[in-house]
Amino acid sequence: MRSGISLDGRVALVTGAGSGIGRACARALAEAGAKVHAVDVDRAAAVAGEIGGWAQVADLADPAAIDGLPAEVDILVNNAGFQHVAPLPEFPPEVFTRMQQVMVTAPFLLIRRVLPAMAAKGWGRIVNISSVHGLRASPFKAAYVAAKHALEGLSKVAALEGAPHGVTSNCVSPGYVDTPLVRDQIAAQAAAHRLGEDEVLERVLLDRAAVKQLIAPESVAEVVHWLCGDHAGQLTGASLPIDGGWTAA
Ligand code: NAD
C-alpha cells in the first residue's frame, strides 16, 4: 500500500480514468484498497481490468450519461478534460462550450449527484484535478483557463457545503504532467514554431517552472490518494499546486 493510508472499504469514482492522471489516480486508489469506478468515454474497460474495478463508459459532455453513473461513492475525482489552443478571435465557440461541459458542468453534476450519499454517511472526499491554469492564465487557452478557474470556484463551494457533513473538496493543480494531453501539445507547438520537441519543452512549457522537468502522473495521484485519507478531514477548500514552483515565481 502507498503512503500507508488505507482506503479499504471505500468506493471511488474517477473520471477520465482511461489515460494519464486519471489512470494513475484510479491505480493509486485501488492499490490503497478502494473499489474504483473507472469512468471514461472510451478506455474505461482496460483500466478497470487492470485495477479490478468497474468500467463506466460515459461521455461527460452528455448530462444523461452522468445520470447513469453511480451516486453512492465515498470518493469522487473529477479529472476528465482536454485542451484546445487557439487565439481568441479564432477559438471555435463549439469547442469552448464542450470544454465547459466536460470540465465544469460535469464536475458540478457529479458533485450534486454524490453529495447526498456522502452527507448521509458523514464522510466524503471530492478531489478536482484543476491546473496551474486554474490559478494563472496563458495566452491561447481561453476555454481551458476559463474552465479551470470555474472548477476552482466550484470546489470551494462544495467545500463549504460539505464541511458540516464530513465531506472535503479540494483542487489539485498541476503544472505540466507527462501525459498524452501534454505530448500532443508539444508535438503541435514543435510543428507550429518549427522547433524540436526538446526545445518546446525547455523554452515554452517549462519556462515558468523552477523544476525543469515534466511531472509524473503518479506524483499527482499520490497527492490525490493522500487527500482521501481520514487524516485530511480539515484540509478543505484548498488548491494544492504540484507545479515545480511555476506559481511561486
Ligand atoms: P489525458 O488526455 O491523458 O486523459 C484525459 C482522459 O479524459 C482521457 O482518457 C479522455 O478519454 C478522458 N475524457 C476526455 N473527454 C471526456 C469526456 N467527454 N467524457 C469522458 N471522458 C473524457 O489527459 P491528462 O493530462 O491525464 O489530463 C487529465 C486532467 O488533468 C485534465 O482535467 C487536465 O486538464 C488536467 N491537467 C493536466 C495537466 C497535464 O500537464 N497533463 C496539467 C494540469 C492539469
Side-chain angles (χ1 to χ4, degrees):
M1 188 204 313
R2 296 158 183 246
S3 307
I5 300 163
S6 171
L7 299 178
D8 275 346
R10 302 293 187 200
V11 175
L13 187 151
V14 180
T15 71
S19 174
I21 296 169
R23 181 168 174 234
C25 288
R27 293 180 76 106
L29 300 183
E31 281 173 25
K35 287 290 279 184
V36 179
H37 292 281
V39 181
D40 207 285
V41 71
D42 59 5
R43 279 166 291 200
V47 175
E50 282 169 24
I51 62 173
W54 300 289
Q56 304 284 352
V57 177
D59 177 357
L60 295 167
D62 175 9
I66 294 172
D67 285 344
L69 294 175
E72 300 209 359
V73 300
D74 306 295
I75 296 165
L76 168 65
V77 182
N78 279 314
N79 163 78
F82 60 101
Q83 181 60 282
H84 187 86
V85 180
L88 271 167
E90 292 156 29
F91 208 101
E94 65 280 8
V95 176
F96 184 94
T97 301
R98 187 171 169 85
M99 283 177 85
Q100 309 316 306
Q101 285 170 334
V102 174
M103 293 162 65
V104 184
T105 306
F108 159 70
L109 291 173
L110 282 165
I111 290 171
R112 189 176 175 277
R113 188 165 174 73
V114 302
L115 204 46
M118 289 180 176
K121 263 195 175 180
W123 196 96
R125 295 286 183 268
I126 299 167
V127 185
N128 301 297
I129 306 301
S130 176
S131 164
V132 285
H133 287 111
L135 308 167
R136 301 283 191 277
S138 292
F140 314 128
K141 295 186 175 175
Y144 191 87
V145 171
K148 292 302 190 187
H149 275 68
L151 184 63
E152 296 271 347
L154 172 66
S155 180
K156 288 179 197 165
V157 174
L160 299 182
E161 293 191 27
H165 309 291
V167 179
T168 68
S169 172
N170 291 288
C171 282
V172 169
S173 303
Y176 286 104
V177 183
D178 195 353
T179 71
L181 181 145
V182 158
R183 289 287 165 189
D184 290 350
Q185 278 186 68
I186 294 172
Q189 298 239 12
H193 302 295
R194 296 187 183 176
L195 295 170
E197 295 199 359
D198 285 350
E199 280 176 294
V200 169
L201 193 58
E202 207 173 295
R203 285 164 46 182
V204 184
L205 269 64
L206 298 177
D207 183 45
R208 288 158 84 169
V211 180
K212 301 288 182 194
Q213 58 193 45
L214 291 177
I215 298 152
E218 292 74 20
S219 301
V220 179
E222 202 59 55
V223 174
V224 172
H225 169 204
W226 187 89
L227 281 169
C228 293
D230 285 333
H231 63 277
Q234 288 190 316
L235 204 174
T236 195
S239 182
L240 304 184
I242 309 175
D243 65 0
W246 204 95
T247 49

